[in-house]
PDB file of all heavy atoms in Angstrom:
ATOM      1  N   ASP Z 489     230.940 191.206 141.252  1.00 85.00           N
ATOM      2  CA  ASP Z 489     230.035 192.321 141.200  1.00 85.00           C
ATOM      3  C   ASP Z 489     228.641 192.166 141.641  1.00 85.00           C
ATOM      4  O   ASP Z 489     228.034 191.071 141.614  1.00 85.00           O
ATOM      5  CB  ASP Z 489     229.845 192.672 139.618  1.00 85.00           C
ATOM      6  CG  ASP Z 489     231.231 193.179 139.037  1.00 85.00           C
ATOM      7  OD1 ASP Z 489     232.071 193.481 139.784  1.00 85.00           O
ATOM      8  OD2 ASP Z 489     231.379 193.039 137.777  1.00 85.00           O
ATOM      9  N   THR Z 490     227.930 193.225 142.144  1.00 87.00           N
ATOM     10  CA  THR Z 490     226.614 193.206 142.850  1.00 87.00           C
ATOM     11  C   THR Z 490     225.818 194.390 142.338  1.00 87.00           C
ATOM     12  O   THR Z 490     226.436 195.228 141.859  1.00 87.00           O
ATOM     13  CB  THR Z 490     226.814 193.088 144.363  1.00 87.00           C
ATOM     14  OG1 THR Z 490     227.314 194.340 144.858  1.00 87.00           O
ATOM     15  CG2 THR Z 490     227.475 192.000 144.972  1.00 87.00           C
ATOM     16  N   SER Z 491     224.623 194.126 142.381  1.00 87.00           N
ATOM     17  CA  SER Z 491     223.735 195.137 141.917  1.00 87.00           C
ATOM     18  C   SER Z 491     222.452 195.091 142.928  1.00 87.00           C
ATOM     19  O   SER Z 491     221.792 194.070 143.018  1.00 87.00           O
ATOM     20  CB  SER Z 491     223.237 195.069 140.464  1.00 87.00           C
ATOM     21  OG  SER Z 491     222.375 196.023 140.143  1.00 87.00           O
ATOM     22  N   LEU Z 492     222.140 196.259 143.424  1.00 89.00           N
ATOM     23  CA  LEU Z 492     220.934 196.310 144.451  1.00 89.00           C
ATOM     24  C   LEU Z 492     219.684 196.306 143.502  1.00 89.00           C
ATOM     25  O   LEU Z 492     219.563 196.984 142.496  1.00 89.00           O
ATOM     26  CB  LEU Z 492     221.018 197.613 145.116  1.00 89.00           C
ATOM     27  CG  LEU Z 492     219.720 197.924 146.075  1.00 89.00           C
ATOM     28  CD1 LEU Z 492     219.698 196.900 147.219  1.00 89.00           C
ATOM     29  CD2 LEU Z 492     219.868 199.358 146.543  1.00 89.00           C
ATOM     30  N   ILE Z 493     218.722 195.405 143.763  1.00 87.00           N
ATOM     31  CA  ILE Z 493     217.609 195.136 142.939  1.00 87.00           C
ATOM     32  C   ILE Z 493     216.299 195.599 143.832  1.00 87.00           C
ATOM     33  O   ILE Z 493     215.405 195.981 143.108  1.00 87.00           O
ATOM     34  CB  ILE Z 493     217.424 193.764 142.552  1.00 87.00           C
ATOM     35  CG1 ILE Z 493     217.407 192.777 143.618  1.00 87.00           C
ATOM     36  CG2 ILE Z 493     218.582 193.498 141.520  1.00 87.00           C
ATOM     37  CD1 ILE Z 493     217.088 191.382 143.247  1.00 87.00           C
ATOM     38  N   LYS Z 494     216.254 195.494 145.122  1.00 87.00           N
ATOM     39  CA  LYS Z 494     215.074 196.038 145.842  1.00 87.00           C
ATOM     40  C   LYS Z 494     215.456 196.114 147.301  1.00 87.00           C
ATOM     41  O   LYS Z 494     216.477 195.543 147.857  1.00 87.00           O
ATOM     42  CB  LYS Z 494     213.889 194.954 145.605  1.00 87.00           C
ATOM     43  CG  LYS Z 494     214.124 193.681 146.130  1.00 87.00           C
ATOM     44  CD  LYS Z 494     212.962 192.753 145.845  1.00 87.00           C
ATOM     45  CE  LYS Z 494     212.748 192.519 144.404  1.00 87.00           C
ATOM     46  NZ  LYS Z 494     211.803 191.624 144.067  1.00 87.00           N
ATOM     47  N   THR Z 495     214.558 196.770 147.968  1.00 90.00           N
ATOM     48  CA  THR Z 495     214.595 196.832 149.435  1.00 90.00           C
ATOM     49  C   THR Z 495     213.271 196.424 149.948  1.00 90.00           C
ATOM     50  O   THR Z 495     212.257 196.863 149.514  1.00 90.00           O
ATOM     51  CB  THR Z 495     215.078 198.208 150.030  1.00 90.00           C
ATOM     52  OG1 THR Z 495     216.293 198.592 149.449  1.00 90.00           O
ATOM     53  CG2 THR Z 495     214.966 198.349 151.463  1.00 90.00           C
ATOM     54  N   VAL Z 496     213.409 195.463 150.930  1.00 91.00           N
ATOM     55  CA  VAL Z 496     212.038 194.873 151.461  1.00 91.00           C
ATOM     56  C   VAL Z 496     211.956 195.060 152.899  1.00 91.00           C
ATOM     57  O   VAL Z 496     213.098 195.270 153.652  1.00 91.00           O
ATOM     58  CB  VAL Z 496     211.733 193.553 151.097  1.00 91.00           C
ATOM     59  CG1 VAL Z 496     211.623 193.285 149.556  1.00 91.00           C
ATOM     60  CG2 VAL Z 496     212.854 192.659 151.767  1.00 91.00           C
ATOM     61  N   SER Z 497     210.899 195.229 153.553  1.00 93.00           N
ATOM     62  CA  SER Z 497     210.694 195.290 154.939  1.00 93.00           C
ATOM     63  C   SER Z 497     210.093 194.105 155.623  1.00 93.00           C
ATOM     64  O   SER Z 497     209.363 193.145 154.852  1.00 93.00           O
ATOM     65  CB  SER Z 497     209.793 196.455 155.353  1.00 93.00           C
ATOM     66  OG  SER Z 497     210.436 197.721 154.924  1.00 93.00           O
ATOM     67  N   VAL Z 498     210.145 193.775 156.815  1.00 93.00           N
ATOM     68  CA  VAL Z 498     209.597 192.671 157.497  1.00 93.00           C
ATOM     69  C   VAL Z 498     208.133 192.992 157.950  1.00 93.00           C
ATOM     70  O   VAL Z 498     207.852 194.140 158.075  1.00 93.00           O
ATOM     71  CB  VAL Z 498     210.447 192.153 158.645  1.00 93.00           C
ATOM     72  CG1 VAL Z 498     211.738 191.654 158.124  1.00 93.00           C
ATOM     73  CG2 VAL Z 498     210.611 193.297 159.720  1.00 93.00           C
ATOM     74  N   ASP Z 499     207.345 191.854 158.225  1.00 94.00           N
ATOM     75  CA  ASP Z 499     206.060 192.174 158.667  1.00 94.00           C
ATOM     76  C   ASP Z 499     205.896 192.234 160.229  1.00 94.00           C
ATOM     77  O   ASP Z 499     207.074 192.334 160.807  1.00 94.00           O
ATOM     78  CB  ASP Z 499     205.103 191.137 158.126  1.00 94.00           C
ATOM     79  CG  ASP Z 499     205.400 189.650 158.548  1.00 94.00           C
ATOM     80  OD1 ASP Z 499     206.163 189.556 159.543  1.00 94.00           O
ATOM     81  OD2 ASP Z 499     205.019 188.679 157.848  1.00 94.00           O
ATOM     82  N   SER Z 500     204.906 192.076 160.726  1.00 92.00           N
ATOM     83  CA  SER Z 500     204.688 192.287 162.204  1.00 92.00           C
ATOM     84  C   SER Z 500     205.212 191.127 163.095  1.00 92.00           C
ATOM     85  O   SER Z 500     205.397 191.053 164.193  1.00 92.00           O
ATOM     86  CB  SER Z 500     203.189 192.495 162.566  1.00 92.00           C
ATOM     87  OG  SER Z 500     202.473 191.317 162.113  1.00 92.00           O
ATOM     88  N   ARG Z 501     205.425 190.031 162.263  1.00 92.00           N
ATOM     89  CA  ARG Z 501     206.155 188.839 162.869  1.00 92.00           C
ATOM     90  C   ARG Z 501     207.574 188.699 162.624  1.00 92.00           C
ATOM     91  O   ARG Z 501     208.295 187.682 162.936  1.00 92.00           O
ATOM     92  CB  ARG Z 501     205.392 187.539 162.382  1.00 92.00           C
ATOM     93  CG  ARG Z 501     203.990 187.465 162.746  1.00 92.00           C
ATOM     94  CD  ARG Z 501     203.322 186.227 162.128  1.00 92.00           C
ATOM     95  NE  ARG Z 501     203.338 186.216 160.634  1.00 92.00           N
ATOM     96  CZ  ARG Z 501     203.007 185.232 159.796  1.00 92.00           C
ATOM     97  NH1 ARG Z 501     202.602 184.052 160.442  1.00 92.00           N
ATOM     98  NH2 ARG Z 501     203.072 185.345 158.564  1.00 92.00           N
ATOM     99  N   GLY Z 502     208.105 189.793 161.989  1.00 92.00           N
ATOM    100  CA  GLY Z 502     209.637 189.762 161.684  1.00 92.00           C
ATOM    101  C   GLY Z 502     209.923 188.818 160.498  1.00 92.00           C
ATOM    102  O   GLY Z 502     211.071 188.533 160.352  1.00 92.00           O
ATOM    103  N   ARG Z 503     208.919 188.741 159.561  1.00 93.00           N
ATOM    104  CA  ARG Z 503     209.234 187.713 158.382  1.00 93.00           C
ATOM    105  C   ARG Z 503     209.183 188.517 157.127  1.00 93.00           C
ATOM    106  O   ARG Z 503     208.591 189.646 156.985  1.00 93.00           O
ATOM    107  CB  ARG Z 503     208.095 186.688 158.416  1.00 93.00           C
ATOM    108  CG  ARG Z 503     208.198 185.809 159.597  1.00 93.00           C
ATOM    109  CD  ARG Z 503     207.096 184.660 159.589  1.00 93.00           C
ATOM    110  NE  ARG Z 503     207.108 183.753 160.670  1.00 93.00           N
ATOM    111  CZ  ARG Z 503     206.337 182.673 160.758  1.00 93.00           C
ATOM    112  NH1 ARG Z 503     205.363 182.480 159.930  1.00 93.00           N
ATOM    113  NH2 ARG Z 503     206.571 181.947 161.726  1.00 93.00           N
ATOM    114  N   PHE Z 504     209.737 187.993 156.139  1.00 93.00           N
ATOM    115  CA  PHE Z 504     209.689 188.591 154.790  1.00 93.00           C
ATOM    116  C   PHE Z 504     209.855 187.439 153.717  1.00 93.00           C
ATOM    117  O   PHE Z 504     210.191 186.449 153.936  1.00 93.00           O
ATOM    118  CB  PHE Z 504     210.727 189.686 154.476  1.00 93.00           C
ATOM    119  CG  PHE Z 504     212.230 189.049 154.411  1.00 93.00           C
ATOM    120  CD1 PHE Z 504     212.797 188.658 153.285  1.00 93.00           C
ATOM    121  CD2 PHE Z 504     212.911 188.891 155.652  1.00 93.00           C
ATOM    122  CE1 PHE Z 504     214.054 188.138 153.316  1.00 93.00           C
ATOM    123  CE2 PHE Z 504     214.250 188.321 155.675  1.00 93.00           C
ATOM    124  CZ  PHE Z 504     214.804 187.943 154.434  1.00 93.00           C
TER     125      PHE Z 504
END
Side-chain angles (χ1 to χ4, degrees):
D489 291 343
T490 60
S491 177
L492 178 67
I493 60 172
K494 65 181 66 175
T495 298
V496 298
S497 300
V498 295
D499 61 19
S500 59
R501 297 178 295 172
R503 296 181 178 182
F504 67 93

